[in-house]
Amino acid sequence: MSGPGKGRLAGRLLYCAGIAVLCSCIAGCGSGVSRKDMEERRAIIDHYKTVILDQDKDSARYDQALAMVREYIEAPGAEKKAETQAALWELIGQMEDECDNLATWTAPEDLEKMLANQGISVVEYESNANGRYTGLKDYIQDLSFLDFYLEVSDMDQTAMDNLTAAVNRYEAYQKEIRAYQYTGVNYWFASWGQEEAAYVKEQVLDQFTSFAAENYQWETSREAVEDKMNICLDHVEELLDDMVKFLGESTEQLYDMMEQRDQTGQ
């Protein structure tokens, strides 16, 4: 999982009245920000957009995979099972190919200079930009587990119950990850002004198809954003602990059932 760090401080909702925006545009900078700074900030947001929207698209594909398995659970059958498995295999293959072709990204000199000028850690930004690889690997692992549960789901009711329980857990976990990633956008640009926040909303947040956080209010300090992200991470940790325990116990149970079936020839 990629994302910024932790801390504490209260935040507040950004409010951009029309007259304030008009004055900002007339001034050509907004809140004392020079034209050069504003140009650099927009350039950083434009690059960040390309990074985060790729990760959002990966997340959306994973959402669709979970939805397909959910559809099978609600209306099981041999044909539906084969169709769902084929879709999972295709997506796993696509993501594996993408991982193989992902090169480690390093900020070019001009962007590195802009990041430094605008108070963004180059190392931290590069780490976040390279987070797509880890995300894809996590999706591949999850989908591979689901494929196993799907394969044996028609063995008996216990197997179907295990598939349902697995999907329930993956959906809950994914919801928290989506909120974490959405909140993380705020982290990079929290200390900037209203004009920049509006640009981030237009170019990034409004373009998301997967990342989402309910009733989110934009924060103006990184510490306040980190508080929100920590809440997501606490939930993620709880769900992950439960997931690991469930996968271990249910996988062992399913293998025992498969072994017994092989021995009895049923």
Side-chain angles (χ1 to χ4, degrees), residues 69-110:
V69 178
R70 173 66 67 185
E71 289 174 5
Y72 165 74
I73 292 171
E74 294 174 353
E79 184 177 345
K80 184 64 175 178
K81 175 183 173 181
E83 177 186 324
T84 305
Q85 280 190 299
L88 288 183
W89 296 338
E90 181 178 2
L91 181 53
I92 289 171
Q94 289 174 357
M95 289 184 167
E96 287 176 339
D97 288 343
E98 289 165 9
C99 281
D100 291 341
N101 293 319
L102 276 179
T104 301
W105 181 82
T106 303
E109 186 176 345
D110 58 341

Side-chain angles (χ1 to χ4, degrees), residues 7-260:
R8 278 185 83 83
L9 198 70
R12 62 179 179 83
L13 172 66
L14 281 177
Y15 175 75
C16 186
I19 188 64
V21 173
L22 178 61
C23 291
S24 174
C25 291
I26 293 173
C29 55
S31 302
V33 178
S34 70
R35 186 177 299 277
K36 178 178 179 295
D37 281 337
M38 187 60 70
E39 289 174 353
E40 286 189 345
R41 291 180 177 186
R42 283 187 171 243
I44 291 170
I45 294 168
D46 288 342
H47 177 266
Y48 178 79
K49 173 183 176 179
T50 66
V51 170
I52 198 65
L53 288 187
D54 278 345
Q55 295 180 20
D56 175 71
K57 289 175 183 176
D58 294 336
S59 180
R61 289 188 291 169
Y62 180 70
D63 291 339
Q64 291 168 0
L66 292 179
M68 285 190 297
V69 178
R70 173 66 67 185
E71 289 174 5
Y72 165 74
I73 292 171
E74 294 174 353
E79 184 177 345
K80 184 64 175 178
K81 175 183 173 181
E83 177 186 324
T84 305
Q85 280 190 299
L88 288 183
W89 296 338
E90 181 178 2
L91 181 53
I92 289 171
Q94 289 174 357
M95 289 184 167
E96 287 176 339
D97 288 343
E98 289 165 9
C99 281
D100 291 341
N101 293 319
L102 276 179
T104 301
W105 181 82
T106 303
E109 186 176 345
D110 58 341
L111 180 59
E112 183 176 343
K113 183 176 180 180
M114 286 190 286
L115 290 169
N117 288 344
Q118 299 305 323
I120 295 177
S121 164
V122 176
V123 172
E124 195 173 23
Y125 187 87
E126 288 178 338
S127 176
N128 186 73
N130 284 308
R132 187 184 179 206
Y133 179 88
T134 302
L136 284 171
K137 283 294 188 181
D138 288 344
Y139 295 144
I140 291 168
Q141 177 177 279
D142 292 352
L143 294 175
S144 297
F145 271 114
L146 278 178
D147 178 54
F148 167 71
Y149 284 97
L150 181 60
E151 172 63 27
V152 300
S153 62
D154 52 3
M155 188 166 58
D156 62 14
Q157 187 57 47
T158 299
M160 179 61 81
D161 289 344
N162 279 330
L163 174 62
T164 303
V167 171
N168 289 342
R169 285 167 168 80
Y170 281 124
E171 287 175 339
Y173 184 82
Q174 171 70 348
K175 182 179 180 180
E176 292 299 331
I177 294 297
R178 289 166 60 198
Y180 176 85
Q181 294 285 27
Y182 187 98
T183 306
V185 176
N186 195 169
Y187 174 85
W188 301 104
F189 316 113
S191 63
W192 293 358
Q194 295 175 347
E195 184 177 342
E196 299 95 308
Y199 192 67
V200 171
K201 182 178 186 302
E202 173 191 306
Q203 295 297 315
V204 180
L205 299 180
D206 289 350
Q207 305 304 316
F208 283 157
T209 58
S210 180
F211 296 156
E214 296 177 358
N215 302 317
Y216 190 81
Q217 295 183 344
W218 188 267
E219 301 292 350
T220 56
S221 75
R222 281 193 172 184
E223 291 82 359
V225 181
E226 287 170 336
D227 281 347
K228 290 183 175 181
M229 297 182 78
N230 287 340
I231 293 173
C232 291
L233 288 175
D234 287 343
H235 293 163
V236 165
E237 185 176 356
E238 292 172 3
L239 291 168
L240 187 57
D241 288 344
D242 176 65
M243 178 79 74
V244 170
K245 181 180 179 181
F246 166 77
L247 291 176
E249 293 176 351
S250 60
T251 301
E252 183 177 357
Q253 179 189 48
L254 288 171
Y255 275 126
D256 287 344
M257 291 169 57
M258 292 167 66
E259 184 177 351
Q260 291 173 10

